[in-house]
């Protein structure tokens, strides 16, 4: 995961933060903070010195601070970086507490499935997902508490009630400023009784962004691994594949690509062995529009931003047959918006990658790194991230799409050979790809729900869940 993050983000500065121990200023404030957590397994504790040694050999700084948590180190360095205009900060963690640090310069990536996929939190995404700001995320935790950290919160206030209160009153302070005007209820009673506890919870949940760290941005400069330290370490640990990968490292440069920008179609532009790729700027393919598309094989690649071409009879005839693509389910849903119904795919590179490896993510840049000799810029590098994500100039966009077609063509045989070697080919063709077609149809159809009837279900469903 770490190597992939470095390749994807290409940082100029890196730090791994560790907790220094169980005793912090929070436990001094509330002795039961994080009480009840299982003891750190001895097997993991024994590995920590080796992890730190490996980080040093990789050229990655690490730091811990007595009486403070790793989150406080991260928050303090994040704010130091934000004082410098040229820094964009990416925080990677499995801890959702760090979402409160998201802003226009900081993106917080939370691991979703093991270490392979991440959910990218920006202020805009958090607002879309939960209807609150990063600062209100702290207030939400103050109201609902956090069992994993043993933060008490307010009795009987969960996420749904907490969000409702914040949407109405804006903040924890706003809730208590308006509490006298609330109608009599058990919730109001709990809020009144647990007021001190709620504000304590907010203090516990708030990341300290002024921790007395003894390092600065100059101390976490990243220039790559120290091979004189890393190679012997890999030998000692028996990490043969990691060592072999050092010799196979690729220079991070774009490869040349030749393509034809298309404004009108001809029959000779379509053959049965081509890959098709349809691009969107965001992640939600149910509402996003196609910003460009490309198709081709080893002999010729075509690219365009003219969506009217997709409605042309020649293109529709090509799409009426099973196609090779990346992320068929997304493609089928996107094209359904144009009245085009894709049949089940001939080959889905994303699904093939998913079957072969769940350690890395399934992005095309990762497929390029693992299964080709090419280095493909990540979408983040081309389109930006967070509030800065935007459609680039047409030439940049189309050349990026053309490079994706090159990667798709050159990775297909390698992945198919590996699938066959692992006895997974039938899993792809007989299960995963047909299932993707069914799931796409379900997503396109959706579910019709009558609002009045759903309200009638609310109470019995809630009762059944509580019992």
């Amino acid at each position: 995961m770490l190597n992939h993050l470095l390749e994807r983000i290409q940082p100029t500065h890196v730090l791994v933060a560790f907790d220094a121990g169980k005793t912090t200023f929070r436990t001094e404030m509330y002795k039961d903070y994080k009480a009840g957590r299982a003891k750190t397994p001895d097997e993991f504790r024994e590995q920590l010195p080796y992890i730190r040694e490996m980080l040093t050999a990789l050229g990655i700084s690490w730091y811990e601070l007595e009486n403070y948590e790793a989150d406080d180190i991260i928050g303090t360095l994040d704010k130091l970086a934000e004082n410098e205009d040229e820094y964009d900060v990416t925080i990677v963690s499995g801890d959702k507490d760090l979402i409160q640090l998201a802003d226009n310069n900081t993106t917080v990536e939370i691991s979703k499935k093991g270490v392979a996929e991440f959910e990218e939190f920006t202020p805009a995404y958090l607002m879309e997902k939960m209807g609150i700001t990063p600062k209100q995320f702290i207030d939400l935790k103050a109201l609902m508490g956090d069992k994993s950290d043993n933060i008490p919160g307010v009795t009987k206030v969960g996420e749904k009630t907490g969000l409702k209160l914040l949407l109405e009153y804006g903040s924890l302070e706003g809730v208590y400023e308006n509490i006298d005007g609330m109608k009599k209820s058990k919730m109001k009673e709990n809020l009144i009784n647990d007021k001190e506890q709620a504000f304590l919870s907010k203090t516990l949940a708030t990341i300290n962004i002024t921790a007395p760290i003894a390092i600065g941005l100059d101390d976490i400069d990243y220039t790559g691994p120290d091979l004189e330290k890393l190679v012997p370490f890999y030998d000692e640990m028996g990490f043969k594949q990691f060592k072999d990968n050092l010799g196979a490292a690729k220079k991070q440069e774009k490869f040349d690509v030749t393509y034809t920008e298309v404004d009108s179609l001809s029959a000779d532009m379509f053959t049965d062995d081509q890959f098709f790729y349809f691009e969107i700027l965001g992640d939600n393919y149910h509402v996003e529009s196609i910003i460009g598309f490309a198709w081709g094989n080893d002999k010729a690649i075509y690219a365009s931003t003219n969506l009217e071409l997709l409605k042309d009879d020649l293109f529709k005839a090509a799409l009426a047959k099973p196609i090779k693509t990346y992320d068929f389910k997304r493609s089928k849903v996107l094209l359904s918006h144009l009245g085009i119904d894709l049949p089940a795919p001939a080959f889905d590179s994303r699904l093939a990658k998913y079957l072969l490896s769940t350690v890395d993510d399934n992005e095309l840049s990762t497929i390029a790194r693992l299964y080709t000799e090419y280095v493909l810029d990540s979408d983040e590098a081309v389109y930006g991230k967070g509030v800065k994500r935007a459609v680039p100039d047409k030439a940049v966009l189309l050349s990026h799409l053309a490079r994706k077609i090159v990667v798709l063509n050159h990775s297909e045989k390698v992945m198919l050979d590996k699938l066959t070697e692992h006895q997974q080919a039938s899993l792809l063709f007989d299960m995963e790809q047909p299932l993707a077609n069914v799931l796409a149809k379900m997503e396109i159809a959706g579910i019709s729900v009558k609002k009045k009837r759903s309200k009638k279900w609310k109470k019995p469903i809630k009762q059944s869940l509580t019992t």
Side-chain angles (χ1 to χ4, degrees):
M1 180 191 82
L2 186 57
N3 286 336
H4 173 66
L5 287 173
L6 295 174
E7 290 182 12
R8 174 167 64 86
I9 299 174
Q10 298 186 29
T12 57
H13 298 71
V14 185
L15 179 81
V16 174
F18 290 95
D19 289 335
K22 286 188 174 182
T23 303
T24 68
F25 72 91
R26 291 181 178 87
T27 54
E28 293 173 3
M29 189 182 306
Y30 180 59
K31 66 177 183 177
D32 290 329
Y33 178 68
K34 291 192 175 181
R37 279 195 176 188
K39 181 184 176 183
T40 303
D42 290 337
E43 295 84 354
F44 177 71
R45 293 172 65 88
E46 291 167 0
Q47 293 179 51
L48 284 173
Y50 298 103
I51 292 172
R52 294 183 173 109
E53 182 182 350
M54 183 183 72
L55 289 172
T56 300
L58 286 168
I60 296 173
S61 303
W62 57 269
Y63 190 71
E64 60 186 16
L65 181 63
E66 186 177 353
N67 209 36
Y68 290 84
E69 296 180 55
D71 290 2
D72 303 314
I73 299 168
I74 294 168
T76 301
L77 271 174
D78 174 45
K79 297 311 169 187
L80 285 176
E82 286 184 1
N83 291 332
E84 306 288 339
D85 290 338
E86 69 269 24
Y87 289 108
D88 288 321
V89 180
T90 301
I91 297 172
V92 182
S93 177
D95 187 354
K96 290 185 177 181
D97 294 349
L98 290 158
I99 291 172
Q100 63 186 266
L101 297 175
D103 58 29
N104 289 341
N105 295 96
T106 300
T107 299
V108 180
E109 296 188 5
I110 302 296
S111 55
K112 290 174 61 178
K113 297 180 180 178
V115 294
E117 293 187 27
F118 298 89
E119 189 170 12
E120 191 175 284
F121 282 88
T122 62
Y125 178 74
L126 182 61
M127 180 60 67
E128 179 185 344
K129 182 181 177 72
M130 302 183 71
I132 57 175
T133 66
K135 284 187 177 180
Q136 287 177 311
F137 190 80
I138 305 172
D139 294 317
L140 177 61
K141 195 165 184 179
L143 287 165
M144 63 182 284
D146 186 336
K147 289 183 179 179
S148 65
D149 289 340
N150 204 38
I151 293 176
V154 176
T155 303
K156 296 293 184 180
V157 172
E159 181 177 309
K160 183 178 178 181
T161 302
L163 286 172
K164 183 179 179 181
L165 288 168
L166 291 176
L167 290 174
E168 186 169 354
Y169 300 111
S171 65
L172 182 67
E173 291 76 10
V175 170
Y176 282 98
E177 286 169 5
N178 293 276
I179 199 163
D180 291 339
M182 293 182 190
K183 65 181 181 180
K184 186 177 180 180
S185 66
K186 189 64 178 177
M187 180 191 71
K188 179 179 179 179
E189 182 182 332
N190 289 335
L191 284 167
I192 293 171
N193 292 339
D194 293 345
K195 179 177 180 180
E196 184 177 341
Q197 190 169 285
F199 280 96
L200 170 64
S201 297
K202 180 168 183 176
T203 302
L204 294 172
T206 302
I207 292 174
N208 188 325
I209 59 172
T210 58
I213 59 176
I215 58 171
L217 298 177
D218 292 341
D219 299 304
I220 63 171
D221 185 57
Y222 176 72
T223 57
D226 183 343
L227 295 181
E228 291 186 1
K229 293 180 179 178
L230 190 58
V231 171
F233 177 81
Y234 283 166
D235 284 336
E236 181 185 356
M237 295 293 108
F239 293 165
K240 184 178 183 301
Q241 186 174 351
F242 285 165
K243 181 182 175 182
D244 291 344
N245 288 341
L246 290 175
K250 304 166 191 171
K251 193 174 181 180
Q252 296 292 306
E253 292 181 351
K254 292 181 181 179
F255 55 91
D256 293 331
V257 64
T258 301
Y259 68 93
T260 300
E261 181 180 350
V262 178
D263 286 318
S264 60
L265 300 174
S266 58
D268 60 356
M269 292 180 179
F270 299 98
T271 58
D272 291 338
D273 62 342
Q274 293 173 317
F275 267 92
F276 292 79
Y277 183 85
F278 308 94
E279 187 69 291
I280 55 176
L281 190 61
D283 294 322
N284 191 344
Y285 51 83
H286 290 282
V287 297
E288 291 278 341
S289 298
I290 297 173
I291 61 171
F293 55 96
W295 73 100
N297 52 24
D298 286 340
K299 299 181 178 62
I301 297 173
Y302 307 95
S304 181
T305 59
N306 183 2
L307 301 189
E308 291 301 313
L309 295 179
L310 297 174
K311 302 175 185 178
D312 187 283
D313 288 342
L314 285 171
F315 219 119
K316 288 169 73 175
L319 297 178
K321 297 177 287 186
I323 63 169
K324 296 189 293 185
T325 188
Y326 169 86
D327 199 346
F328 167 80
K329 182 159 70 77
R330 183 183 79 167
S331 301
K332 185 177 179 78
V333 174
L334 284 171
L335 291 171
S336 73
H337 301 157
L338 302 175
I340 299 169
D341 182 20
L342 285 183
F347 183 71
D348 185 337
S349 292
R350 193 177 195 277
L351 283 177
K353 161 61 187 65
Y354 167 74
L355 291 175
L356 288 170
S357 170
T358 57
V359 176
D360 299 279
D361 65 34
N362 302 311
E363 300 302 314
L364 257 174
S365 55
T366 302
I367 291 176
R369 174 173 60 86
L370 294 176
Y371 306 114
T372 78
E373 295 301 315
Y374 299 106
V375 175
L376 177 69
D377 281 346
S378 67
D379 287 345
E380 190 174 279
V382 177
Y383 304 138
K385 65 178 181 178
V387 295
K388 297 180 181 179
R389 194 171 181 89
V391 179
D393 292 340
K394 185 192 284 189
V396 174
L397 171 63
L398 295 186
S399 63
H400 184 51
L401 300 186
R403 289 185 175 91
K404 289 187 174 186
I405 294 296
V406 171
V407 169
L408 289 169
N409 277 296
H410 283 258
S411 61
E412 180 188 14
K413 185 179 185 304
V414 178
M415 288 197 287
L416 280 174
D417 288 345
K418 287 185 176 295
L419 287 168
T420 302
E421 179 185 345
H422 300 164
Q423 298 183 343
Q424 292 176 299
S426 62
L427 183 59
L428 175 69
F429 293 115
D430 298 338
M431 183 176 293
E432 293 291 345
Q433 290 187 172
L435 178 60
N437 191 34
V438 173
L439 293 174
K441 290 179 179 179
M442 291 172 63
E443 291 185 12
I444 292 167
I447 300 173
S448 178
V449 178
K450 292 184 178 180
K451 192 173 182 180
K452 289 183 179 179
R453 184 173 295 178
S454 66
K455 286 184 177 180
K456 291 180 180 179
W457 297 337
K458 183 177 179 180
K459 189 174 181 179
I461 290 175
K462 188 175 182 180
Q463 288 176 341
S464 65
L465 288 173
T466 55
T467 56

